[in-house]
Structures are given as C-alpha cells and as structure tokens.
Amino acid sequence: MFRRICFFIAVALSVFSCNTTQSLKTEGFITVEGQKFIDANGRQVIFSGINYISKNPKEKYLPQHGPEIFQQFLKWGINCIRLGIIWDGLEPEPGKYNEEYLLEIDKRIQWASENGIYVFLDMHQDLYGSKFSDGAPEWATLDEGQPHYTGAVWSDSYLISPAVQTAFDNFWKNAPAPDGIGLQDHYANLWKHIAQRYANNTTVIGYDIMNEPFMGSAANNIMPVMLTTYAEQFAMETGKILSAEEVGAMWAVEESRMEALRFLEAKERYSKVVDSVYDLNASFEKNELQNMYQKVANAIREVDKNHILFLEHSYFSNTGVASAIEPTKLADGTTDPLVAYAAHGYDLVVDTKEVENPSYERVEFIFERINQTGQRMNVPVLVGEWGAFHGNSLKMAETARQVVNIFERFNFSNTYWAFYNGIGGEPYFKNALVRPYPAFVSGNLVTYGFDVETNRFSCVWDEKAGAASPTEIFIPNLKNLKKSEITITPDAGKIEFEYFESSNAGKLIISPSGKAGQRKIEFAFIR
C-alpha cells in the first residue's frame, strides 16, 4: 500500500490536505459549449495529450505496449490520447471488418479509461495508403498504374507522386472500389461501424475523420503560385529576380530550401506567400472535403449522437493557409453541436535537420490562423498534431516551450506528435510538455500559464455559481509544491493535494467557493 503523508495547514478559510488517487475513471460524455470542451460535471476541460499510433503492418498497426504505458501517461499529466487507427487494418477486404483489430483497440481504450485518460480515434493516413506509406488498403488505392516518386523529405511525395495524387483524386470522386461501391461510401460505412461500437463509451470523446486530407492532383496548382509569390517578394526586397527554374531548384533540395525559408521568417512576408493560395485551398475544402465530411457525419449520426466529430483542415493549412472548413450539419439542416476543430500546425522545417530551428514568428502566425478559424467556426480547438521533435538537444526544449506558450495563450487543447520509446527522457519533453496546467476548470478558464524562467504558475477562471465539482490542476512533481507559496483568491473552500499512485505527480484539487466570481491561483513550482 502506498504510504500517504498528509499535512493540514489552515490558511484563512482554506484547508490543505493530501491523499493518493487509487482509482481514476473517465465519467460521462465530453460535450461542446461554444469554443470549450465540457465534461459531465459541467467543467471546462483542457486536453493535454499525445498521439499514440503504430503505422507498421508487421505490428498489426498496434503500438506494442501493455497497460503500463497508460499508467506512465497519467504520471506525465497526459489526459487525452489521439489513438491512431488504420483503414488497411480495419477493412482488409471490401466490406469485411477486422474484429481482431477492433478488439485490440478496445483494450487500449479500456487501459486509458482505467487511468482517467480520454481517447479520440484518428483515422490516419500518410501518402493516401499502405501502398505508399499508411492508410487505405490496396484494394481502395486506385492509382491507375501511375508512377510513385519520393523526394528529399517524405511528404514531398504528396507534391511529386502521380500515383499518390491519382489515388486521392479517385477517393474525392467516390470512384467505385472493386466491389462496385464507392470509395467514400466504404469509408463512411467503416466510420459508421466504428461509431456504433463506441456509441455509449464515455472514454471515447470523438472521431477524427481523416488525418491531413490532401487535395490530390489539384495540388499541382499550389506550389507554382506560392513559388511565384516568393520570387516576387524576393525581387521586391532584394532587387534580385529569380527565374521559375531557380526557385524550383531551390525548393527541391533540403539545404537550399532551408536557406530560402530564412527569407520567410517574418510574418508579413510569410503571410503573403501562403495567402496567395487561399482560393485554391478553399475551393477544395468547401467542396470535396466538406462533402466527404458531411457524408461521414451523416453515417456516424445514424448510430451515434453522443460523440464529437473532429474536423481537420486540408494538408496545406498545416502551414498557415487560412482554412475554409465549416461544421457539419444534422439531418434537419441545423449545425451539429458536437464538432471540434482538430487543426495541425507545423513549421516548414519539420522532418528536416533544422527541426529545432523554426521561425518563431512563422510558428506564431500558423497558430494565430488556427485560432482565427476556431473563432470563425465557434468550436473548440484541439491541435491534433504539432512538434514532431526528436533528439536530446536543449535547443529543442526552447522550441517546444515557444509552442506550448502559444497554446496557453489561446487555451488550446493539444495532442503532441508523437509518442516513441524513450520520449520521457528527452529534454524537450521533460521541460516543456510535462508542465502544470488546468485539466478541469469549474467555470470558464480566462488565462493560465507556467513561466519556466521564474517557475511560477498562474491561473484565472470565472467560477460558476453553485458549482459542485472542483477545479483540478495537474502538477508534475507535487512534492516540490510548497503550500506556503500558494496564493488563491478568494480563499474560501478546501485545497487538496492528490498524488497519483506510486508517483510524485498529482493534482491540486480546488473546491468551488460556492459563489459566482473570478478566482485566481498562483504558486512557485520547482521542477
């Protein structure tokens, strides 16, 4: 039995206590209220999570860990998993669903539940399908025999591979699969099958309908416009005129591409380049992508009205192109109230040797655009992917903190890309991702943040009158939180220290004051 040491200190009307969490269960459905996620107790939720996925068919598309990894996730403060699932594993033959794979997914959802961790299911794809990377099964990959090419960076294949582009074109056209049923119809039916399985599961918060939707061969119009705009901006500011061939050659090689990106470090320059393709991107999002989302939403809502539909913007909006997607509709034509924006945000140095050296202005611009789209749609933002850092560089920790600070500013939820063995020892993970944050707020979160330079955390929220459930703040090393350093106003109610079992991590539990009004907590925290 884990030994518990409890301290009781009277401070005004507050009482400090500590105990150990023995059982954590996810309870009730997560819902949506404007731009907030809301739990079954009426509290605002901030999800701080990670992607958990295997893209390897030799592993049967299942991460090779047992329940102990979810216990570790809890100790890191992870309260949400973006669990990757793969079409190729789910529907290996047209209309035939893989029950063995689904049972293994069930296990991981149960392990998450046992540790109080929520899950949303991500139908993942990279380069369309398993023939080129991961995603769709080969029977659903209608590439018409086109050649497949790879580039300096793996994602270049989206832009240079006729096979990948043609496979996407046929998906957007709902071309018939070998059994005569349209590809999108298969996709929607698969999502219906999944939704029916988890319709009453409160650990599952929703369904991420497609990872990074790519427009197909229409993307061939994107890069020429962007590169032309780049050349125009370059000539205007330097007086040097670059030919189309020079710009194209610059972009084709990683080293020269990184040099070209230095010119785009300022927001003003960068915005002009990405804004040049807004109309092309919006045309895809408003038509092919929106139609697919609505088809899948219709199928899901036939069997599941409890879960959130997570909508992603197009592939190109990952880098700051403003998105034009809209929430899906219900059968009666009204806006579906359970929709969230599952944006991805990556600087253009991702997947290169310069990943630790992004332009902070450019990164800020990308997430400002995401925030604007969330406001336009009036839905919560959960950044489903960001980061993709690797290695033990201290500079990477600074880079990660820059992004986390932006998330705190906008009250974004997030799931970091992605878990791998050994991540817990990386400086960027220990010093940026694992941090104090308000997981559940009894009212409306106003602002919060952890200043790594001063080791001070602060959080302000508007508490609801008559609130019955506490505000819960995750603390990575709760034993280092000095009770004498905590300031809370107003100070009515009880503050409890709740340790996770066999861990120094835990939660600061703040009982509601019983009144409506703004509350604030501040404390020094030594990591």
Side-chain angles (χ1 to χ4, degrees):
M1 179 71 177
F2 182 72
R3 186 177 179 184
R4 295 179 291 177
I5 303 175
C6 296
F7 300 87
F8 295 90
I9 303 173
V11 179
L13 297 178
S14 296
V15 177
F16 292 94
S17 65
C18 68
N19 57 44
T20 301
T21 298
Q22 299 295 337
S23 177
L24 292 166
K25 296 283 186 180
T26 52
E27 295 181 357
F29 291 106
I30 297 293
T31 59
V32 167
E33 182 182 293
Q35 290 191 257
K36 302 182 298 249
F37 293 108
I38 304 293
D39 78 350
N41 297 311
R43 297 177 296 182
Q44 183 174 351
V45 184
I46 295 292
F47 292 114
S48 184
I50 200 163
N51 281 260
Y52 188 57
I53 186 173
S54 171
K55 304 178 184 182
N56 188 349
K58 293 180 180 178
E59 295 180 344
K60 299 182 179 179
Y61 300 121
L62 294 162
Q64 299 299 294
H65 307 94
E68 70 286 343
I69 195 61
F70 289 86
Q71 297 165 9
Q72 182 59 63
F73 287 157
L74 174 67
K75 294 171 187 178
W76 285 332
I78 289 169
N79 67 350
C80 182
I81 297 295
R82 182 176 183 245
L83 182 61
I85 57 176
I86 306 292
W87 188 3
D88 183 45
L90 290 161
E91 193 178 6
E93 298 178 49
K96 304 284 180 65
Y97 302 130
N98 185 347
E99 181 65 16
E100 182 182 352
Y101 185 35
L102 287 164
L103 287 170
E104 289 295 329
I105 293 167
D106 292 347
K107 277 187 192 176
R108 285 147 182 83
I109 293 171
Q110 180 59 31
W111 294 339
S113 177
E114 290 166 358
N115 289 280
I117 297 171
Y118 290 95
V119 171
F120 67 106
L121 300 174
D122 153 44
M123 190 74 78
H124 207 83
Q125 69 80 28
D126 295 293
L127 306 182
Y128 184 76
S130 59
K131 185 173 182 179
F132 314 116
S133 183
D134 60 87
E138 288 207 31
W139 63 261
T141 305
L142 307 183
D143 62 9
E144 300 177 10
Q146 293 291 322
H148 175 58
Y149 302 129
T150 58
V153 179
W154 73 267
S155 56
D156 287 350
S157 289
Y158 279 118
L159 305 176
I160 65 174
S161 172
V164 170
Q165 293 179 0
T166 301
F168 270 108
D169 288 346
N170 280 313
F171 179 82
W172 300 124
K173 289 188 290 189
N174 198 24
D179 63 354
I181 297 172
L183 294 173
Q184 279 190 43
D185 296 326
H186 271 291
Y187 197 72
N189 288 338
L190 172 58
W191 264 122
K192 181 178 179 179
H193 184 76
I194 293 167
Q196 191 161 30
R197 188 182 192 93
Y198 300 114
N200 297 311
N201 190 307
T202 57
T203 298
V204 175
I205 62 174
Y207 312 119
D208 191 340
I209 292 174
M210 177 179 280
N211 179 67
E212 298 186 353
F214 181 73
M215 64 179 64
S217 60
N220 293 327
N221 300 319
I222 295 280
M223 289 308 293
V225 173
M226 292 183 75
L227 294 178
T228 297
T229 306
Y230 176 92
E232 289 171 352
Q233 291 296 308
F234 192 81
M236 188 181 302
E237 298 199 30
T238 68
K240 183 178 180 181
I241 299 174
L242 299 172
S243 68
E245 290 76 16
E246 286 176 312
V247 178
M250 183 187 299
W251 216 257
V253 180
E254 182 176 328
E255 287 74 15
S256 57
R257 186 185 304 182
M258 296 305 104
E259 183 64 33
L261 286 177
R262 292 190 183 96
F263 178 73
L264 295 178
E265 289 183 345
K267 287 183 188 179
E268 186 177 356
R269 290 176 181 168
Y270 187 64
S271 65
K272 289 177 180 176
V273 172
V274 297
D275 287 349
S276 67
V277 297
Y278 171 78
D279 289 339
L280 292 169
N281 189 64
S283 176
F284 164 69
E285 289 190 329
K286 290 178 179 179
N287 294 291
E288 289 87 351
L289 182 57
Q290 196 73 44
N291 290 340
M292 184 275 287
Y293 279 158
Q294 191 61 58
K295 181 188 288 283
V296 173
N298 292 345
I300 290 173
R301 288 297 181 236
E302 286 182 30
V303 295
D304 184 350
K305 296 177 173 60
N306 295 322
H307 287 99
I308 299 167
L309 305 183
F310 288 88
L311 307 184
E312 296 193 28
H313 52 220
S314 80
Y315 169 86
F316 288 105
S317 289
N318 286 0
T319 54
V321 180
S323 178
I325 61 168
E326 299 282 355
T328 50
K329 305 290 186 182
L330 297 176
D332 63 4
T334 60
T335 299
D336 194 322
L338 291 175
V339 171
Y341 178 32
H344 292 188
Y346 287 114
D347 190 44
L348 294 175
V349 299
V350 71
D351 294 323
T352 74
K353 294 188 289 291
E354 294 296 315
V355 64
E356 68 179 3
N357 295 307
S359 159
Y360 292 148
E361 272 199 56
R362 206 162 51 219
V363 169
E364 185 176 51
F365 171 82
I366 291 167
F367 290 111
E368 285 172 346
R369 278 284 169 87
I370 288 170
N371 186 53
Q372 290 164 9
T373 299
Q375 290 177 333
R376 175 182 61 78
M377 295 172 70
N378 192 33
V379 299
V381 173
L382 189 158
V383 180
E385 285 190 27
W386 67 280
F389 302 133
H390 46 78
N392 58 8
S393 158
L394 292 177
K395 178 64 166 60
M396 202 83 76
E398 176 188 317
T399 298
R401 281 198 297 269
Q402 292 286 336
V403 181
V404 169
N405 289 344
I406 294 171
F407 293 170
E408 291 175 346
R409 189 202 321 166
F410 293 132
N411 291 342
F412 284 168
S413 290
N414 81 91
T415 47
Y416 174 80
W417 183 268
F419 174 80
Y420 55 86
N421 291 330
I423 194 173
E426 306 284 30
Y428 77 84
F429 188 83
K430 294 187 296 183
N431 298 317
L433 274 70
V434 179
R435 73 200 197 285
Y437 74 94
F440 301 94
V441 176
S442 189
N444 298 316
L445 180 61
V446 177
T447 184
Y448 80 99
F450 177 64
D451 187 330
V452 72
E453 301 298 328
T454 63
N455 291 317
R456 291 200 68 82
F457 174 85
S458 65
C459 181
V460 178
W461 69 101
D462 290 326
E463 197 159 273
K464 293 180 179 178
S469 298
T471 292
E472 301 183 14
I473 299 173
F474 168 74
I475 311 292
N477 202 340
L478 191 55
K479 72 173 185 178
N480 284 347
L481 177 56
K482 297 178 181 179
K483 300 171 184 65
S484 60
E485 288 284 330
I486 297 176
T487 302
I488 183 166
T489 54
D491 57 5
K494 184 173 75 172
I495 296 180
E496 182 180 7
F497 288 64
E498 188 169 278
Y499 288 88
F500 299 149
E501 192 166 3
S502 304
S503 174
N504 290 326
K507 296 183 292 185
L508 188 61
I509 310 294
I510 306 165
S511 297
S513 66
K515 304 175 185 177
Q518 192 163 96
R519 301 190 78 186
K520 181 177 183 179
I521 188 167
E522 292 184 289
F523 52 79
F525 169 73
I526 308 300
R527 298 179 67 86

